[in-house]
Amino acid sequence: MDKKSSGSNIFMQPVKAYFKQNYGILLAFLVMCVFFTIFGNNFLTKTNILNLLRTCATNCYLAIGVQMAIILAGIDLTGGALAALSGVLCVMTFENAGLPIWMGILVGVVLGMIVGFANGSIITYTGIHPFVVTLAMQSICRGAAYLFANGSPVTTTERSFGVVGTGSFGPIPLPVVYMTVFLIVDFFTLNKTQMGRSIYAVGGNELAAKFSGINLNRVKIFVWTVSGAMAGFCGVILAARMSSGQPSTGEGYETDAIAASVLGGTSFFGGTGSVGGLIIGVLIIGTISNGLNLMHVNSYWQFVLKGVIIIVAVYTDRLKQKRQNAA
Amino acid sequence: MDKKSSGSNIFMQPVKAYFKQNYGILLAFLVMCVFFTIFGNNFLTKTNILNLLRTCATNCYLAIGVQMAIILAGIDLTGGALAALSGVLCVMTFENAGLPIWMGILVGVVLGMIVGFANGSIITYTGIHPFVVTLAMQSICRGAAYLFANGSPVTTTERSFGVVGTGSFGPIPLPVVYMTVFLIVDFFTLNKTQMGRSIYAVGGNELAAKFSGINLNRVKIFVWTVSGAMAGFCGVILAARMSSGQPSTGEGYETDAIAASVLGGTSFFGGTGSVGGLIIGVLIIGTISNGLNLMHVNSYWQFVLKGVIIIVAVYTDRLKQKRQNAA
Amino acid sequence: GGSTSTGASAAPAEKAEAVSEAPAEEAPAKPEAESEAASEGAASTDEAISAVAADTEGLDVKNLTLAYVPTTMNNPFWSAMMGGIKDEMKALGMDPETQLVTVDADSDQAKMNNFVYDLINQKVDAVILAPMDTTAVTEALQACADAKIPVINVDTPVDRNDLVESIVASDNYTAGVLCAQDMLEKLDPGSKVYIMNQPSGAACVQREQGFRDTVGDTFEIVGTSDTEGDTATTLPVAEDAITADADLGAFFCINDMGALGCVQAAAAAGRNDILIYGVDGNPDFMGYVKDGSATASAAQQPSVIGSTAVDEAINAINGKTVDKEVVVPVELITGENISNYDISDWQ
Amino acid sequence: MAKELLRMENIVKTFPGVKALSNARMVLHEGEIMGFMGENGAGKSTLMNVLGGIYQPDSGEIYIEGRKVEVHSVHESQALGVAFIHQELALEPHLTIAENIFLGRTIKNRFGLVSQNLMAEAAQPYLKRVGLDIDPREMVGRLSMGQQQMVEIAKAFSLNAKILILDEPTSSLSEREVEVLFRTVRELKKQGMGIIFITHKMAEVFQLCDAVTIMRDGAYMDCLRSEECSEQKLISLMVGRDLGNYYVRNFNEPGEVMLEVKNVTAGKRAVNCSFYVRSGEILGFYGLVGAGRSELLESVMGLYPMNGGEVILNGEKLSRHDPSYMQQHGAVLVPESRKTQGLLLNNTIGFNISLPSIREFIGHLHVNRAKEESIIDHGMRSLSIKAPSSHVNVSTLSGGNQQKVLLSKWLATDPKVLILDEPTRGIDVGAKAEIYSIINDLAKAGMAIVLISSEMPEVMNMSDRMIVMSEGRITGELNRSEYTQEAILSLGMGVAN
Ligand SMILES: Nc1ncnc2c1ncn2[C@@H]1O[C@H](COP(=O)(O)OP(=O)(O)OP(=O)(O)O)[C@@H](O)[C@H]1O
Ligand SMILES: Nc1ncnc2c1ncn2[C@@H]1O[C@H](COP(=O)(O)OP(=O)(O)OP(=O)(O)O)[C@@H](O)[C@H]1O
Ligand SMILES: [Mg+2]
Ligand SMILES: [Mg+2]
């Protein structure tokens, strides 16, 4: 008897904790799902769920980085434009420069890291607010993407590159596989590494973290570099899915990533935010447009509903937190 | 003798203070102007200057509101979408509903106020971060603009409405006249009214402001309402200049408004920011694209340069401030 | 029900020549008898003018769902095309309110691909699609092909034409050519010309190419700006272009929405001598062509494209012959010939 | 008997989960300085916030000059003649002195516009009364802490207050500034103002107050005239038991030199300073507030750049200079401000305690849960931190317990050199006594301790040796046998001996 209950504890405790921590937003998500199952066509089918997850994947890549930046009481607005730039340069690497495809992928991700590193360094060493730095960098990346691509998409006919984005592992689309891997790594980084703890600490109270012997510069540069790398990867996958690097793509993606983080309970004041919450946030953002598309809702209404859902969901979450604090 | 010197003091002191406070960014602006005068066509001509000012005007309307929000340690991202919505409804008021033109203008501005008021109220009463609220509201406004306009621009052939945006007062385009009036009102509001001083107080130290008996809710709602009204007015003027209310217009305008505020020395940490700085910020943003257009520089380079200039200029300004504080 | 014989709408005689089959494809024999029999039905719906006829025999059209996937919904061109689609559906006895699904890809091919997956999940019967990017759309086309959902490609031909049933498109290259030819007549050689383009849109690239190929180096192209075919974005750039070159002769814009910005800029500068060309046939822009503020537009016929696409879609679903390529011609509408056209609405 | 100004009866105030006030009471007369004491979290600030219109009580009555009133907002409170100087200074750094004084009540010219000149003029007399000779157009952010305090008092004057509340006003003032403050307060008393003076320092009560009100656990305990009360009596009323002599110190023979600092110059404030500390001894650092002690030791720890000089730790001259390196080599600093420099208030006790020692239980992608728990448990138990569990947020703890979390956080790294910067600031006598005994135990166990303090009795009673600083320079070093108040003070004032 004893053994059994302790066994169930080991597995059930984190699950329970997860539900307890996120029940407000989980409930909102559940309500949405039930609603779409009833009123939409084929919402709860295997194809649609895989489809939904594939759509979520690109947002999730960005959201992982953006959430880290928000936990650090910062922000990263470079994502969408950086993804476009990475996609363009990735395809150009093997189309124009004739290098192997894996080099192209590497170039895309490394470029993301470099831009992210630049963001982090500027933020750290100039003390300019991350909002301003990453906004300016967004403009720079967007311009650079257009300049490299000369305004038009850079297309490729390499089948094997396309597979990176459109292939699947068993029934599961590859982008979803990557997403899962990244989320696991993200979870471990945030919870099981010194760096992860430091991110929460710096976000919670920068000065206290400094006095505790944490190297602020390293933490900040790490976060923005990771965020940049994720954006670079996002750009590569987008390019692979479309078999072309599009300089105009990704506009406003960072907004969805921010929305996903915030819906998942990441506070703009820094220091809080969980991977579990992020997952629900990403799912909600993805489900809104997927479900409404299945319900044949006009795309204009989707804008309106997205805005309303964000405010209501975040508010619900806050109310829940208040109640919990009171208890 | 005495009289004379005191007279010159009254007039010269604010000017001197202005130069002293803003010399870093003023210098940057001057360098830009000299550069464009040498390398661009007709940069320093009357027509171009009026032209430049006219382009600046719409950004300035938004920037006035956005700056107030930033001084309050908040942000307003609703501007561009709200301008689109206001423009659409303004034109519809007299084109579709057959009401007089002045009613249309009123509807545009009042609508802006209502949306701004909603922003302010939600921020105040739910405690959700302004970034999230105004981002969600951006989505709502954009959707509503498309819905009302049914996706297509709502055009008008009313000449007298067009004049509101394209007319001029002597040689000076009307939008520039409005801008001047608004800047003066803005200056007085921020510096010479109790509300203005309260905005700085709440932004500088919210708790201290509360302890001093300042009604936080009133201040916050005021700021976002003003910002909304300015966005509404911006939408009306855009519609008048184009003789049509375009639901797709204004995308990313809030970004330029934020950039102008920040360039003008408004800190994201709240409590600081001057109208004088804002003016230079707006001018710099406007001059970048005007000057580069006159040099026939590719629009893509403009993205890149805008990003670089923002970072460099803000950094210069910070260095200057550090030096001043040290002295 | 089997009473769907009223569906097909025939092309009225005077419009028939407006449709030319692509030379490469053999023109399939049209079921003449059918279309004549149905011409009454067509007359009752005002604008449903289609290049081909739909064969609805043996098909329960009331149970079909069509999907319309335009590049973006924020340009009236696409609304006009949707108008044509809806009218033709009504003419075929369908209810567009429940049987037509639309999504807004917001000029982002990645988004469009995601949305097409959503449409496949809804098991729509056919997709009418205008790509933002001709290559990048392949993922979506492949997915449709895998799900055996026919795709009717409109506006801009895709690269992988083996994945689509039919291509119904304006001749975008010719649109540029027509504008160029008119400009060559009206403007002195050596004059300065400014181009507002959007290289990220394939159709826009073709228009620009047609224009550039035709003018050669007769004019001095002083500048090009990517203003995304947006009025508000074009306006300040056009103002600056006029300032930079006081002797600017003309603007060529890849669409009418951008050209509207040039019209406002020229008006603000008091320069009614600058020629302004657009592409689309936007009624608002036509108004300016009529009063002389603008020069000409290479008008497309979005509603014709839309209605034709519906017919092709029905045929594809029904397993009937489908025209592989239908080129809907463009016409240059200028101040001189504008009185021949009804400019109150899209063609 | 002087007229009664204020009477608060049976005030009850609950926060979600906490009953902050169960039965609070306070009576104040004209021209009376009322000391107000109690342990951390006893409810002193809360009661004053009720009077100040910031919190609404659940029940209870407030009478001002015999009239029953209800205070719904700060404005109403000000209108009733109550001025409140908060525990955390509440000033606007980016506004001028004059504007801060008239914050929320700006002075307008005849056009209805805010006038900086009129405000500056109007502020002048109030500034004069508190002895501040500074241009009222100066930004408050540029003033020293003491000057800012004076601005707050000037603000109270300008409100024409009959009742002035000072919530721990002296905790960040230099002795000279405290003198000025006391003089000013006595002046106010003469003018008939009633003053409530919250403090944790016994000496101040006897020096300044006419009477003391004592609270414990949200309830009124007693109100004593100064003449009739003793330190012991106050303490037993506050903590509910006798504490005896709370300076505990067993002196022992110091061992090796653990930390040696040679000719360190840091910024403008610490110039050419040298000192050393041995294992098993406590080195006191005394100076007036702003003398540069914090800056010197923070620089030594590598928190700020050092311009010249060398640091020798455990016999090894340091090549690198940053806090994490110092920590790994056994030297830690417990900072003076627990809220801004020390704690992550919105994180749990466990997270805070374990933060500096994460290296010990997080390897590569693996968290040693057991080790982590044991570090946290040990930290909580050895300093007997009072909290429901290690999972509650630090912000919910009382000041004394927060201070203990702060200490245990750095003790968890098992340091050899411990630098304590004002370890007892703002905590009650009970908590103080506990902390002194912990410090004593640590020294006994052989730790080298640097104790920075602005409280002379603290340094005198706890330290083996004492270094005195003034205006960024070390002005002298005293051995325990040379400790006299006069000697220390004269060194602190920069008078060389
Ligand atoms: N806003 C609040 N929300 C919840 N609890 C609060 C709040 N303010 C105070 N408390 C709680 O009320 C109790 C009394 O706090 P208060 O600040 O009045 O103590 P204090 O006597 O001023 O202590 P100190 O000497 O440390 O300043 C404490 O337990 C505190 O945690
Ligand atoms: N970052 C800073 N910027 C400006 N002035 C500072 C800064 N840090 C400290 N000061 C000032 O430098 C002087 C020395 O400060 P320091 O904190 O080192 O003194 P201290 O002797 O430790 O006194 P305290 O009791 O205030 O800690 C003070 O006047 C303080 O206000
Ligand atoms: Mg207190
Ligand atoms: Mg100190």
Side-chain angles (χ1 to χ4, degrees):
Chain A
M1 270 302 256
D2 226 323
K3 238 183 183 171
K4 199 175 165 190
S5 85
S6 102
S8 87
N9 252 352
I10 285 176
F11 292 105
M12 291 311 293
Q13 234 173 16
V15 178
K16 258 192 206 160
Y18 178 74
F19 275 97
K20 203 179 153 198
Q21 206 188 4
N22 296 297
Y23 76 84
I25 202 79
L26 265 173
L27 204 75
F29 179 57
L30 220 75
V31 170
M32 273 176 63
C33 288
V34 170
F35 184 82
F36 287 136
T37 309
I38 298 173
F39 295 101
N41 291 336
N42 311 316
F43 179 76
L44 225 57
T45 58
K46 194 187 109 190
T47 23
N48 189 53
I49 290 171
L50 289 178
N51 180 14
L52 170 63
L53 288 176
R54 181 170 33 211
T55 313
C56 288
T58 34
N59 184 22
C60 189
Y61 305 149
L62 290 185
I64 287 174
V66 168
Q67 191 198 26
M68 276 194 195
I70 299 180
I71 294 178
L72 210 61
I75 188 91
D76 190 350
L77 301 173
T78 315
L82 179 52
L85 176 60
S86 287
V88 166
L89 284 187
C90 161
V91 176
M92 285 179 76
T93 305
F94 51 84
E95 277 294 313
N96 302 19
L99 293 167
I101 289 175
W102 64 266
M103 276 290 284
I105 297 173
L106 197 70
V107 163
V109 177
V110 169
L111 174 85
M113 287 179 67
I114 294 173
V115 172
F117 181 81
N119 269 337
S121 308
I122 297 173
I123 290 165
T124 315
Y125 295 111
T126 66
I128 305 177
H129 197 285
F131 191 102
V132 180
V133 174
T134 59
L135 192 67
M137 196 59 90
Q138 180 191 73
S139 189
I140 294 173
C141 286
R142 180 66 66 194
Y146 276 119
L147 282 173
F148 279 110
N150 217 345
S152 313
V154 189
T155 54
T156 173
T157 48
E158 295 282 356
R159 285 279 153 120
S160 52
F161 178 60
V163 169
V164 172
T166 55
S168 59
F169 180 78
I172 305 179
L174 283 183
V176 180
V177 176
Y178 308 142
M179 171 170 80
T180 315
V181 172
F182 283 129
L183 284 172
I184 293 170
V185 173
D186 187 30
F187 180 82
F188 273 93
T189 311
L190 285 180
N191 294 289
K192 306 275 174 187
T193 67
Q194 295 178 16
M195 183 52 85
R197 288 282 170 108
S198 305
I199 293 172
Y200 284 104
V202 175
N205 183 345
E206 191 168 321
L207 204 56
K210 183 176 170 185
F211 273 81
S212 305
I214 290 171
N215 186 334
L216 299 186
N217 297 1
R218 247 187 63 205
V219 174
K220 288 186 184 177
I221 291 176
F222 172 85
V223 165
W224 271 281
T225 306
V226 166
S227 185
M230 293 309 297
F233 186 81
C234 176
V236 170
I237 296 303
L238 280 174
R241 287 187 59 186
M242 299 189 289
S243 283
S244 86
Q246 306 222 342
S248 64
T249 200
E251 213 153 320
Y253 282 22
E254 56 281 351
T255 308
D256 275 352
I258 293 167
S261 307
V262 171
L263 282 173
T266 311
S267 158
F268 258 93
F269 301 101
T272 57
S274 71
V275 178
L278 182 72
I279 294 173
I280 317 177
V282 168
L283 284 176
I284 289 182
I285 292 290
T287 308
I288 293 176
S289 66
N290 172 270
L292 293 176
N293 277 340
L294 293 187
M295 279 179 66
H296 300 184
V297 171
N298 186 316
S299 59
Y300 306 146
W301 273 111
Q302 298 195 13
F303 279 114
V304 175
L305 290 172
K306 196 155 127 186
V308 173
I309 291 175
I310 291 176
I311 293 183
V312 172
V314 173
Y315 185 54
T316 317
D317 201 52
R318 284 188 70 90
L319 281 185
K320 180 215 73 182
Q321 270 170 18
K322 258 190 209 160
R323 205 155 346 116
Q324 262 180 356
N325 285 351
Chain B
M1 271 300 256
D2 225 325
K3 240 184 184 170
K4 200 176 166 188
S5 86
S6 104
S8 88
N9 252 352
I10 285 176
F11 292 107
M12 290 313 291
Q13 234 173 15
V15 177
K16 257 192 206 160
Y18 178 74
F19 275 96
K20 203 180 151 199
Q21 207 189 3
N22 297 297
Y23 74 86
I25 201 80
L26 267 172
L27 203 76
F29 180 57
L30 220 76
V31 170
M32 273 175 62
C33 287
V34 170
F35 182 84
F36 287 135
T37 310
I38 298 173
F39 294 101
N41 290 339
N42 309 319
F43 180 76
L44 225 58
T45 58
K46 194 185 110 192
T47 22
N48 189 52
I49 290 171
L50 289 178
N51 190 356
L52 170 62
L53 289 176
R54 182 169 38 204
T55 313
C56 288
T58 35
N59 184 20
C60 188
Y61 305 148
L62 288 186
I64 287 173
V66 168
Q67 191 197 27
M68 276 192 195
I70 300 180
I71 294 177
L72 210 61
I75 188 87
D76 191 350
L77 301 172
T78 315
L82 180 51
L85 177 59
S86 288
V88 166
L89 284 188
C90 159
V91 175
M92 283 180 77
T93 306
F94 51 85
E95 277 293 313
N96 301 20
L99 294 166
I101 288 174
W102 64 264
M103 275 291 283
I105 297 173
L106 197 70
V107 163
V109 177
V110 168
L111 175 86
M113 287 178 68
I114 293 173
V115 173
F117 181 81
N119 270 337
S121 307
I122 297 173
I123 291 165
T124 316
Y125 294 111
T126 66
I128 304 177
H129 197 283
F131 192 100
V132 180
V133 174
T134 58
L135 193 67
M137 196 59 92
Q138 182 190 71
S139 188
I140 295 174
C141 286
R142 182 64 69 193
Y146 279 124
L147 280 174
F148 279 110
N150 216 345
S152 317
V154 189
T155 51
T156 173
T157 47
E158 295 281 357
R159 284 282 151 121
S160 52
F161 178 61
V163 168
V164 173
T166 57
S168 59
F169 179 80
I172 304 179
L174 283 183
V176 180
V177 176
Y178 309 141
M179 172 171 78
T180 316
V181 172
F182 283 129
L183 284 171
I184 293 169
V185 174
D186 187 30
F187 179 83
F188 272 94
T189 310
L190 284 179
N191 293 293
K192 301 283 173 186
T193 66
Q194 176 133 15
M195 180 52 85
R197 302 321 292 171
S198 303
I199 293 172
Y200 283 102
V202 175
N205 184 347
E206 190 167 321
L207 212 55
K210 186 176 163 186
F211 289 160
S212 304
I214 289 173
N215 186 335
L216 299 186
N217 296 1
R218 247 186 63 205
V219 174
K220 289 185 184 178
I221 291 176
F222 173 85
V223 165
W224 271 281
T225 306
V226 166
S227 185
M230 293 309 298
F233 187 81
C234 175
V236 170
I237 296 303
L238 277 174
R241 286 188 62 189
M242 297 189 289
S243 282
S244 81
Q246 306 217 347
S248 64
T249 202
E251 213 153 319
Y253 281 22
E254 57 280 351
T255 307
D256 275 352
I258 293 168
S261 307
V262 172
L263 282 173
T266 311
S267 157
F268 257 91
F269 301 101
T272 56
S274 71
V275 179
L278 183 73
I279 294 173
I280 317 176
V282 168
L283 285 175
I284 288 183
I285 292 290
T287 307
I288 293 175
S289 62
N290 173 269
L292 293 175
N293 279 339
L294 294 188
M295 281 175 68
H296 294 310
V297 169
N298 190 315
S299 55
Y300 305 143
W301 271 112
Q302 299 190 12
F303 280 112
V304 176
L305 291 172
K306 198 151 118 184
V308 173
I309 290 175
I310 290 175
I311 292 182
V312 171
V314 172
Y315 185 54
T316 317
D317 201 52
R318 282 188 70 89
L319 280 186
K320 182 215 70 183
Q321 269 170 17
K322 259 191 208 155
R323 205 156 344 117
Q324 264 178 357
N325 283 352
Chain C
S3 63
T4 53
S5 55
T6 54
S9 70
E14 77 271 18
K15 284 278 179 176
E17 86 273 358
V19 176
S20 66
E21 310 298 342
E25 307 287 327
E26 83 276 31
K30 280 184 199 154
E32 283 297 329
E34 284 260 355
S35 71
E36 260 160 45
S39 61
E40 269 182 33
S44 64
T45 67
D46 36 280
E47 286 287 343
I49 299 153
S50 171
V52 288
D55 185 347
T56 57
E57 198 187 299
L59 192 67
D60 181 5
V61 291
K62 293 232 183 279
N63 278 335
L64 299 179
T65 311
L66 302 185
Y68 173 47
V69 186
T71 312
T72 168
M73 284 297 276
N74 64 26
N75 181 332
F77 178 80
W78 302 105
S79 311
M81 190 180 291
M82 185 155 75
I85 291 173
K86 284 186 171 171
D87 289 340
E88 184 70 4
M89 285 176 75
K90 278 185 208 148
L92 291 169
M94 300 166 78
D95 177 10
E97 294 309 315
T98 57
Q99 292 180 268
L100 180 69
V101 191
T102 54
V103 290
D104 182 3
D106 205 12
S107 295
D108 185 338
Q109 188 61 50
K111 242 187 211 172
M112 186 186 292
N113 292 0
N114 283 334
F115 286 166
V116 169
Y117 282 107
D118 288 347
L119 295 172
I120 293 170
N121 278 330
Q122 293 177 54
K123 306 209 160 53
V124 296
D125 295 285
V127 174
I128 298 169
L129 177 145
M132 175 72 184
D133 184 79
T134 54
T135 318
V137 72
T138 307
E139 181 193 11
L141 299 180
Q142 188 67 54
C144 287
D146 293 346
K148 305 218 159 32
I149 294 173
V151 176
I152 311 302
N153 172 203
V154 291
D155 186 58
T156 311
V158 298
D159 282 353
R160 291 284 304 277
N161 54 14
D162 56 312
L163 292 175
V164 299
E165 292 291 326
S166 172
I167 300 171
V168 184
S170 296
D171 190 344
N172 282 302
Y173 185 85
T174 306
V177 173
L178 291 175
C179 290
Q181 285 167 347
D182 192 62
M183 195 185 288
L184 285 168
E185 271 173 37
K186 291 181 180 160
L187 200 62
D188 297 329
S191 301
K192 290 180 174 171
V193 176
Y194 200 99
I195 298 178
M196 302 290 178
N197 66 359
Q198 188 185 9
S200 55
C204 307
V205 172
Q206 289 168 12
R207 292 168 196 169
E208 189 185 347
Q209 200 57 49
F211 178 81
R212 283 181 186 266
D213 289 352
T214 310
V215 296
D217 45 16
T218 315
F219 304 123
E220 184 193 348
I221 303 206
V222 290
T224 8
S225 266
D226 181 353
T227 54
E228 295 166 357
D230 179 68
T231 314
T233 313
T234 309
L235 178 54
V237 178
E239 282 174 348
D240 291 342
I242 295 170
T243 311
D245 295 289
D247 51 348
L248 187 70
F251 282 111
F252 172 69
C253 305
I254 47 79
N255 73 358
D256 286 347
M257 293 299 285
L260 280 170
C262 297
V263 169
Q264 305 297 351
R271 291 283 306 275
N272 51 10
D273 59 313
I274 298 179
L275 305 182
I276 299 169
Y277 291 85
V279 176
D280 275 354
N282 182 317
D284 293 332
F285 187 63
M286 290 295 112
Y288 289 110
V289 172
K290 189 166 190 183
D291 74 14
S293 325
T295 316
S297 174
Q300 308 191 70
Q301 303 179 56
S303 58
V304 176
I305 297 176
S307 56
T308 310
V310 170
D311 294 336
E312 299 287 10
I314 297 292
N315 285 341
I317 296 166
N318 210 3
K320 305 286 175 184
T321 355
V322 176
D323 307 299
K324 187 67 188 180
E325 240 174 89
V326 183
V327 177
V328 180
V330 293
E331 288 172 68
L332 193 73
I333 302 181
T334 63
E336 295 88 57
N337 69 6
I338 195 160
S339 48
N340 305 338
Y341 295 86
D342 173 14
I343 59 162
S344 65
D345 205 347
W346 289 83
Q347 300 300 301
Chain D
M1 187 76 201
K3 203 172 92 187
E4 180 184 292
L5 272 180
L6 167 75
R7 173 178 291 274
M8 298 173 84
E9 295 281 5
N10 304 320
I11 307 284
V12 176
K13 172 73 193 171
T14 41
F15 291 110
V18 193
K19 191 154 194 177
L21 299 175
S22 53
N23 175 19
R25 189 187 129 94
M26 159 85 64
V27 181
L28 180 71
H29 297 92
E30 250 180 11
E32 184 178 42
I33 302 177
M34 174 65 75
F36 192 14
M37 300 193 79
E39 285 183 290
N40 292 117
K44 304 178 296 290
S45 300
T46 306
L47 183 63
M48 292 301 107
N49 279 331
V50 165
L51 179 58
I54 290 155
Y55 296 148
Q56 300 305 306
D58 303 340
S59 64
E61 299 97 51
I62 303 173
Y63 301 88
I64 287 184
E65 293 178 316
R67 201 161 49 84
K68 188 171 178 198
V69 295
E70 286 187 18
V71 191
H72 298 289
S73 69
V74 177
H75 261 303
E76 286 181 29
S77 166
Q78 287 179 352
L80 289 167
V82 177
F84 192 166
I85 297 178
H86 290 265
Q87 197 165 354
E88 325 283 332
L89 281 184
L91 290 171
E92 296 287 350
H94 302 297
L95 299 187
T96 63
I97 294 175
E99 275 199 285
N100 266 286
I101 288 177
F102 298 108
L103 195 60
R105 313 165 285 139
T106 40
I107 296 178
K108 296 169 190 148
N109 63 18
R110 64 203 140 97
F111 307 112
L113 297 176
V114 171
S115 165
Q116 296 287 351
N117 289 340
L118 288 181
M119 274 197 280
E121 242 168 71
Q124 217 38 284
Y126 302 118
L127 292 176
K128 199 166 279 167
R129 272 169 78 182
V130 297
L132 258 191
D133 186 24
I134 300 179
D135 184 356
R137 291 183 195 79
E138 185 70 63
M139 293 286 163
V140 161
R142 300 189 167 209
L143 305 184
S144 76
M145 283 303 247
Q147 290 172 323
Q148 293 190 17
Q149 193 96 49
M150 290 302 151
V151 173
E152 289 255 33
I153 295 177
K155 184 174 171 179
F157 276 130
S158 75
L159 284 163
N160 276 326
K162 289 174 288 195
I163 301 167
L164 175 64
I165 306 165
L166 295 159
D167 196 350
E168 296 190 39
T170 57
S171 58
S172 52
L173 293 191
S174 70
E175 249 140 277
R176 226 176 316 182
E177 287 168 328
V178 170
E179 266 315 302
V180 177
L181 175 70
F182 281 13
R183 222 179 18 241
T184 314
V185 169
R186 289 197 189 99
E187 188 64 31
L188 297 177
K189 169 191 157 90
K190 259 187 229 148
Q191 294 165 14
M193 206 185 257
I195 293 144
I196 302 173
F197 192 92
I198 303 179
T199 183
H200 288 294
K201 297 179 184 166
M202 294 290 165
E204 289 178 353
V205 175
F206 297 107
Q207 236 180 306
L208 188 69
C209 300
D210 303 310
V212 205
T213 297
I214 297 125
M215 267 182 92
R216 184 162 84 218
D217 295 336
Y220 168 83
M221 294 306 297
D222 205 347
C223 179
L224 306 170
R225 308 296 309 164
S226 292
E227 312 87 68
E228 53 177 307
C229 74
S230 70
E231 202 164 306
Q232 293 311 320
K233 199 166 175 188
L234 278 178
I235 290 172
S236 68
L237 275 171
M238 276 195 292
V239 288
R241 67 198 144 92
D242 276 330
L243 276 181
N245 177 17
Y246 51 83
Y247 293 117
V248 202
R249 190 66 223 279
N250 312 93
F251 292 97
N252 34 323
E253 196 53 38
E256 300 274 288
V257 172
M258 296 299 295
L259 172 70
E260 187 165 9
V261 172
K262 284 186 186 161
N263 308 319
V264 162
T265 294
K268 285 182 191 166
R269 289 171 187 96
V271 182
N272 201 19
C273 298
S274 309
F275 65 92
Y276 65 94
V277 58
R278 293 168 293 191
S279 75
E281 89 175 329
I282 298 179
L283 174 66
F285 251 86
Y286 180 78
L288 302 178
V289 172
R293 297 157 297 167
S294 302
E295 190 146 315
L296 171 62
L297 284 144
E298 283 168 9
S299 305
V300 165
M301 284 298 296
L303 286 154
Y304 302 107
M306 220 169 64
N307 337 318
E310 57 190 53
V311 178
I312 299 159
L313 186 57
N314 214 352
E316 189 187 331
K317 185 174 177 293
L318 295 187
S319 50
R320 235 173 83 203
H321 203 61
D322 61 68
S324 73
Y325 186 81
M326 292 292 284
Q327 202 176 308
Q328 280 163 42
H329 286 73
V332 297
L333 177 139
V334 180
E336 60 186 323
S337 163
R338 60 175 176 261
K339 282 198 177 139
T340 61
Q341 302 167 317
L343 296 172
L344 294 131
L345 291 173
N346 291 321
N347 282 82
T348 61
I349 298 177
F351 189 94
N352 273 282
I353 291 182
S354 62
L355 189 59
S357 33
I358 38 178
R359 275 178 210 90
E360 292 180 25
F361 60 90
I362 302 187
H364 294 290
L365 293 179
H366 173 70
V367 180
N368 185 341
R369 267 281 149 71
K371 186 89 188 278
E372 181 181 10
E373 289 301 322
S374 86
I375 288 176
I376 295 169
D377 265 10
H378 182 258
M380 284 190 71
R381 234 170 327 106
S382 65
L383 274 79
S384 53
I385 293 169
K386 263 180 251 142
S389 83
S390 63
H391 300 294
V392 302
N393 280 359
V394 171
S395 58
T396 63
L397 299 183
S398 75
N401 277 304
Q402 287 185 1
Q403 193 70 32
K404 285 192 210 164
V405 172
L406 193 63
L407 255 177
S408 71
K409 175 176 167 181
W410 273 282
L411 291 180
T413 66
D414 201 12
K416 300 188 192 76
V417 179
L418 177 67
I419 303 167
L420 297 165
D421 197 350
E422 309 277 6
T424 61
R425 177 179 284 177
I427 63 173
D428 63 59
V429 279
K432 256 185 198 171
E434 283 183 67
I435 290 196
Y436 293 140
S437 118
I438 293 164
I439 296 174
N440 180 51
D441 290 349
L442 293 171
K444 211 158 67 182
M447 209 178 271
I449 295 174
V450 176
L451 172 64
I452 305 175
S453 175
S454 307
E455 271 187 73
M456 204 184 294
E458 185 171 295
V459 215
M460 287 178 73
N461 282 295
M462 294 302 296
S463 64
D464 296 64
R465 266 185 311 133
M466 187 189 304
I467 288 188
V468 185
M469 281 186 77
S470 170
E471 301 189 342
R473 288 169 192 281
I474 292 180
T475 47
E477 181 178 333
L478 301 168
N479 282 317
R480 189 164 177 78
S481 55
E482 301 166 303
Y483 287 2
T484 60
Q485 287 217 10
E486 294 70 39
I488 297 170
L489 250 185
S490 65
L491 285 173
M493 310 282 259
V495 187
N497 47 345

